[in-house]
Amino acid sequence: MSLTTRLRHSLTYSHRVATHLHHFYSTSSILSQNSSTPLSSKSKTRSALSLLKSEQNPHKILEICHAASLSPESHLDRIAFSVAISKLSESNHFDTIRQFLDDLLTSRPDLKTERFASHAIVLYGQAKMIPQAIDTFKRIRDLGFPRTVKSLNALLFACLLAKDYKELNRVFIEFPKFYEIQPNLDTFNTVIKGFSESGSTSSGYSVLAEMERKSVKPNATTFGNLLAGFYKEEKFEDVGKVLKLMENHGVNRGIGTYNIRIQSLCKLKKSSEAKALMDGMLSRGMKPNSDTYSHLIHGFCKEGDLEEGKKLLKSMKSRGFQPSSDCYYSLVYFLCQGKDFDAALSIAKESMEKGWVPNFGTMKSLVEGLVGVSKVDEAREVIKQVKEKVTKNVEMWDEIEAGLPQ
């Protein structure tokens, strides 16, 4: 080899190394924001999440994800994956989603598992890319690992996320037999949920019969999905049948079942009936939880009974239950809609003291309402508190504050 050739090879190799190092340091600096301290895995994900929420450029979204080395093993990483896919699908970058997930499946040895393939299938469902979800399911063995009920359930759940109920039903009927996979409890529960969401809850009875044939015992989730569907379709006779079936199968009607019934009644604007259910729980010594009260508060407020909503919050606290953020958010929103700005202000302050700030639209409505009843100082104080706790929309709050009467 001549000296010139050797020099050319040496320069090419040096360029590749320099390019790789530049990419490594640039992607690392994306997350560390020029900090000299190496980030832990959890810190990388937190930084990635923060950047993803405000990023719109698809290439930068991918850079952030690659820099964080996300893995479905971590709950926080799964959230980051979900945020990234949401951002890309909202801007119709479907090819980018496919390339991103395919590259991860084939280029990262730690992700060549059924667990990640199943997660990729669910992410495709989130983006409503069901053909790609099915293709990934079919390719699992080609990627070098077995196909089990885990990936089948991921595919059914993807169809559920995409609200593609026709395909969900087809996968359920055809795939277990074709791919020799035995359905389990999660399989049946997902299918029943699909029937309930699509207005075909009665089809769930045939699924229950199949579960019995295959000796798969239904649980509270099975019956909860049926109850939610029958309430939605206002088939109250079937609600009674399902409750009887629960008894026959020895499944306890716990707080989760009551909450499904209470929420369903509130959605039907039958909040008084829902409250009667909770009163029945209390009389039997069963304790409601913050979700129970949240459903009732939202239900009564939506029906225009703001006084009952306020009473429920008070009753909840007097019984020693801690209100959730949703309880506060619902009340502040509906009280502003009902022009009860004094009560809305009091509840908003209590919420913010706990670190829970209602969304921008609700707080803007509160500020404008306070100004409308000549409580400008209170409005100014609300803006100050919001800006202290939330960094988002600061410029918009500055603009609103500047427009307040002097």
Side-chain angles (χ1 to χ4, degrees), residues 273-329:
E273 287 183 35
K275 187 173 181 294
L277 259 182
M278 186 184 75
D279 292 339
M281 284 171 57
L282 289 165
S283 68
R284 284 189 289 275
M286 185 183 288
K287 288 186 177 181
N289 59 19
S290 61
D291 286 341
T292 318
Y293 280 100
S294 178
H295 297 323
L296 287 167
I297 288 169
H298 190 272
F300 277 108
C301 287
K302 197 169 183 181
E303 290 180 47
D305 193 343
L306 301 177
E307 288 305 311
E308 187 60 41
K310 288 190 284 185
K311 279 182 193 174
L312 280 163
L313 185 69
K314 190 175 179 181
S315 166
M316 181 181 189
K317 291 188 286 187
S318 69
R319 286 193 169 114
F321 298 111
Q322 290 298 319
S324 66
S325 57
D326 286 341
C327 295
Y328 289 108
Y329 295 168

Side-chain angles (χ1 to χ4, degrees), residues 352-386:
M352 287 192 287
E353 281 169 11
K354 294 175 181 287
W356 298 327
V357 182
N359 66 34
F360 177 79
T362 298
M363 295 308 286
K364 181 173 180 281
S365 177
L366 175 58
V367 166
E368 289 172 348
L370 290 169
V371 171
V373 292
S374 302
K375 295 194 173 184
V376 180
D377 290 342
E378 287 86 344
R380 207 179 298 279
E381 182 61 28
V382 166
I383 294 173
K384 181 186 173 186
Q385 287 180 16
V386 171

Side-chain angles (χ1 to χ4, degrees), residues 331-351:
L331 269 171
V332 176
Y333 171 80
F334 283 109
L335 287 168
C336 286
Q337 295 294 303
K339 303 192 183 306
D340 188 349
F341 298 111
D342 287 336
L345 176 61
S346 173
I347 292 167
K349 281 183 177 179
E350 190 178 323
S351 180

Side-chain angles (χ1 to χ4, degrees), residues 99-261:
Q99 288 165 11
F100 172 52
L101 294 177
D102 277 359
D103 285 347
L104 289 175
L105 273 167
T106 55
S107 66
R108 272 182 55 183
D110 61 316
L111 297 184
K112 287 189 176 182
T113 63
E114 189 189 20
R115 176 164 187 170
F116 181 70
S118 298
H119 191 60
I121 287 167
V122 170
L123 291 172
Y124 277 130
Q126 183 185 323
K128 294 182 169 55
M129 298 170 68
I130 294 305
Q132 288 76 14
I134 291 172
D135 181 60
T136 302
F137 174 83
K138 289 179 177 179
R139 287 170 50 217
I140 282 177
R141 283 194 176 171
D142 296 336
L143 292 166
F145 39 88
R147 186 193 295 114
T148 71
V149 71
K150 182 180 181 66
S151 45
L152 172 67
N153 290 344
L155 182 55
L156 290 168
F157 186 61
C159 294
L160 193 68
L161 284 176
K163 300 189 185 302
D164 192 338
Y165 303 113
K166 185 178 178 182
E167 197 66 350
L168 185 150
N169 193 40
R170 185 184 76 84
V171 168
F172 173 61
I173 291 169
E174 297 177 8
F175 281 35
K177 186 176 180 180
F178 186 84
Y179 294 102
E180 299 179 339
I181 297 173
Q182 192 67 31
N184 63 10
L185 179 61
D186 287 342
T187 313
F188 293 117
N189 283 350
T190 302
V191 173
I192 288 174
K193 187 170 175 63
F195 285 136
S196 299
E197 286 186 5
S198 61
S200 308
T201 311
S202 295
S203 299
Y205 287 132
S206 64
V207 179
L208 272 179
E210 186 174 345
M211 291 172 75
E212 193 168 346
R213 285 194 298 272
K214 293 183 180 294
S215 300
V216 177
K217 184 176 171 57
N219 63 3
T221 301
T222 316
F223 293 111
N225 290 337
L226 287 168
L227 286 170
F230 283 129
Y231 270 116
K232 185 180 174 183
E233 296 169 36
E234 299 190 51
K235 293 181 176 177
F236 302 114
E237 190 177 323
D238 282 291
V239 168
K241 285 181 185 177
V242 172
L243 293 172
K244 185 66 178 172
L245 280 169
M246 289 184 77
E247 190 180 316
N248 294 343
H249 282 85
V251 177
N252 183 44
R253 298 181 202 172
I255 183 63
T257 301
Y258 274 97
N259 281 348
I260 287 168
R261 298 181 66 194

